[in-house]
């Protein structure tokens, strides 16, 4: 099949070209922002619930160690909430980013997603670690219970699984990035 | 101003872009999404991205290059999300043939089958190859494809040569089938 026949075949296909009014585009944008806002509200509500629960524990338990643990958990929760908000804001692309050359845009998106997955340990899991572990320790000491190490391993084990899954997904993205880089390397003589 | 907020000042530029390249955008979208309903949604997303992006258009490049970049970027984001959600199986060519056998005009049927086969090939390509293929089919030369994709004209020319051969071979094989 000749070049021109291929192109004619492509260009003569029937496609819908609906006219989008400014109002319909605005409505689409609003729907998108509503979804983002709802997600933000859910995240903030979850953070508020953790803060409220730990404020209650802070009031309920009078020993210093438990109270320090509660404050650490609250601080960790606030840090994670701020990070979630900051990362959600960073995802809104500028006009220049929207119109970047396709390979650069695609690579930047993959790198952003890879880095977000790789860094989950540092901004999502580690900030909660000291407070949670100290809380278990404080409660065991208060109750004079025998030391049960498995309790202390719960959070690290869960975190390890999450980190492994995220690293695995990040590895898949890295393969795509490498593939793109090989494509671009084809540019060099 | 919030760059994501559509502004009425973009209206004239948007209208000009859609009048000149609306059909091209629709064909690109068809090359990225086979499901009819999702295609409509993607088309709307591409138009929204275009509308929002035009707030930053200062003739840095031709309007066509700008429109094509925005369209492909929105489509690439879409297929990345889709890949995370599910892997949809390809439609068998036999099924497509059966669906359109009832049409009387044999040349139209032939063209529809060719187009369906071309679409199946296009949908199986990885993003960078798909962009090059779609832009080639829109009759852009290697330099213009390079400007949209960011690849060098030489690399584009090599890719076009290979992709064209792949597509032509698939279509020829179909013709020689009994």
């Amino acid at each position: 099949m000749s070049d021109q026949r291929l192109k004619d075949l492509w260009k003569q296909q029937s496609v819908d070209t609906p006219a989008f009014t400014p109002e319909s585009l605005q409505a689409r944008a609003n729907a998108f922002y509503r979804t983002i806002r709802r997600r933000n509200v859910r995240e903030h509500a979850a953070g508020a619930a953790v803060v409220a629960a730990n404020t209650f524990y802070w009031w309920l338990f009078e020993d210093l160690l438990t109270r320090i643990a509660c404050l650490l958990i609250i601080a960790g929760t606030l840090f994670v909430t701020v990070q979630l908000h900051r990362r959600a804001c960073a995802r809104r692309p500028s006009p220049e980013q929207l119109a970047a050359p396709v390979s650069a845009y695609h690579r930047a998106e993959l790198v952003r997603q890879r880095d977000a997955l790789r860094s989950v340990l540092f901004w999502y899991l580690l900030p909660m670690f000291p407070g949670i572990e100290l809380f278990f320790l404080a409660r065991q000491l208060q109750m004079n219970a025998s030391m049960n190490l498995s309790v202390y391993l719960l959070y690290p084990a869960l975190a390890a699984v999450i980190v492994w899954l995220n690293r695995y997904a990040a590895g898949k993205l890295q393969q795509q990035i490498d593939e793109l880089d090989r494509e671009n390397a084809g540019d060099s003589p | 101003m919030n760059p994501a907020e559509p502004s009425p000042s973009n209206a004239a530029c948007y209208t000009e872009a859609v009048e000149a390249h609306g059909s091209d955008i629709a064909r690109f979208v068809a090359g990225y999404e086979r499901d009819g309903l999702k295609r409509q949604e993607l088309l709307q997303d591409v138009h929204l991205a275009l509308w929002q992006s035009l707030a930053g258009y200062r003739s840095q490049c031709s309007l066509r290059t700008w429109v094509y970049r925005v369209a492909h970027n929105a489509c690439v984001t879409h297929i990345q999300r889709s890949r995370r959600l599910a892997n949809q199986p390809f439609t068998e060519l036999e099924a497509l043939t059966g669906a359109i056998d009832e049409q009387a005009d044999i040349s139209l049927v032939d063209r529809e089958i060719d187009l369906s086969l071309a679409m199946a090939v296009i949908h199986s390509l990885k993003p960078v190859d798909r962009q090059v293929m779609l832009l080639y089919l829109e009759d852009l030369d290697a330099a213009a494809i390079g400007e949209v994709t960011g690849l060098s004209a030489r690399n584009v020319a090599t890719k076009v040569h290979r992709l064209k051969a792949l597509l032509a071979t698939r279509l020829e094989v179909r013709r020689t089938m009994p």
Side-chain angles (χ1 to χ4, degrees):
Chain A
M1 184 178 271
S2 72
D3 265 21
Q4 201 49 52
R5 269 206 70 198
L6 270 177
K7 290 174 182 173
D8 290 345
L9 178 70
W10 177 253
K11 286 197 151 191
Q12 285 164 9
Q13 67 176 293
S14 69
V15 284
D16 288 338
T17 50
F20 295 106
T21 61
E23 291 75 22
S24 71
L25 292 173
Q26 185 65 63
R28 182 81 175 170
N30 290 344
F32 176 72
Y33 295 132
R34 266 199 304 277
T35 307
I36 301 288
R37 267 198 299 275
R38 273 200 291 270
R39 194 194 61 197
N40 288 345
V41 165
R42 275 199 304 273
E43 284 168 352
H44 292 168
V50 174
V51 169
N54 280 279
T55 306
F56 174 70
Y57 290 147
W58 186 88
W59 170 79
L60 186 67
F61 302 119
E62 292 180 350
D63 64 290
L64 182 65
L65 216 49
T66 304
R67 286 189 157 188
I68 291 173
C70 290
L71 290 177
L72 283 174
I73 291 174
I74 289 171
T77 305
L78 293 177
F79 179 81
V80 168
T81 306
V82 169
Q83 289 293 318
L84 281 169
H85 186 75
R86 198 171 64 81
R87 281 156 202 274
C89 289
R91 284 186 65 178
R92 191 176 288 183
S94 68
E96 290 73 19
Q97 285 170 320
L98 288 171
V102 185
S103 58
Y105 177 90
H106 190 192
R107 192 183 190 285
E109 271 293 292
L110 292 171
V111 167
R112 183 188 64 74
Q113 290 167 22
R114 179 204 63 190
D115 291 347
L117 290 169
R118 276 184 179 169
S119 61
V120 155
L121 174 67
F122 301 104
W123 67 268
Y124 196 76
L125 296 170
L126 275 185
M128 305 300 291
F129 179 75
I132 289 174
E133 296 297 308
L134 188 60
F135 189 86
F136 288 143
L137 177 67
R139 297 321 305 150
Q140 282 201 340
L141 289 175
Q142 276 299 303
M143 292 185 292
N144 289 320
S146 57
M147 295 298 275
N148 184 357
L149 280 179
S150 61
V151 171
Y152 297 95
L153 291 176
L154 267 178
Y155 186 78
L158 181 67
V161 171
I162 293 171
V163 167
W164 184 83
L165 289 172
N166 279 287
R167 289 280 161 105
Y168 179 78
K172 292 280 179 193
L173 289 172
Q174 184 60 49
Q175 285 175 7
Q176 292 183 50
I177 294 166
D178 292 341
E179 204 174 319
L180 266 183
D181 288 344
R182 276 196 297 276
E183 296 282 354
N184 290 329
D187 283 354
S188 49
Chain B
M1 185 187 75
N2 184 347
E5 283 295 327
S7 143
S9 64
N10 306 335
C13 201
Y14 172 74
T15 305
E16 183 191 340
V18 171
E19 276 174 9
H21 305 295
S23 305
D24 312 355
I25 294 173
R27 285 192 293 272
F28 290 148
V29 168
Y32 279 96
E33 179 57 65
R34 73 186 71 203
D35 180 89
L37 277 176
K38 287 181 186 168
R39 195 159 56 229
Q40 287 305 312
E41 288 206 353
L42 176 58
L43 188 60
Q44 202 171 0
D45 284 344
V46 170
H47 278 260
L48 177 60
L50 179 61
W51 173 269
Q52 291 171 332
S53 76
L54 287 169
Y57 182 60
R58 307 274 181 274
S59 301
Q60 302 94 319
C61 55
S62 70
L63 184 60
R64 182 183 72 171
T65 298
W66 185 277
V67 171
Y68 284 12
R69 282 178 180 174
V70 172
H72 280 280
N73 286 340
C75 289
V76 164
T77 303
H78 170 78
I79 56 169
Q80 274 230 304
R81 278 191 200 133
S82 307
R83 261 170 52 160
R84 280 204 298 266
L85 293 175
N87 277 330
Q88 292 180 347
F90 289 115
T91 310
E92 294 294 331
L93 185 58
E94 289 73 19
L96 292 165
T97 313
I100 52 180
D101 265 351
E102 292 165 11
Q103 298 177 38
D105 188 337
I106 193 70
S107 66
L108 180 66
V109 171
D110 211 36
R111 213 177 65 196
E112 287 296 316
I113 295 173
D114 278 348
L115 185 60
S116 300
L117 186 52
M119 278 293 190
V121 173
I122 289 165
H123 283 137
S124 69
L125 296 173
K126 56 187 181 179
V128 67
D129 291 337
R130 199 182 309 201
Q131 290 143 23
V132 172
M133 173 65 100
L134 292 175
L135 292 166
Y136 155 75
L137 290 172
E138 287 296 329
D139 218 5
L140 267 66
D141 62 23
I145 294 175
E147 199 184 355
V148 174
T149 59
L151 298 171
S152 75
R154 189 170 136 262
N155 196 358
V156 169
T158 309
K159 279 185 178 297
V160 164
H161 179 72
R162 287 181 188 157
L163 291 166
K164 208 166 59 181
L166 169 74
L167 193 53
T169 307
R170 295 280 172 89
L171 293 176
E172 287 306 323
V173 166
R174 208 271 300 172
R175 285 176 193 291
T176 57
M177 277 165 64

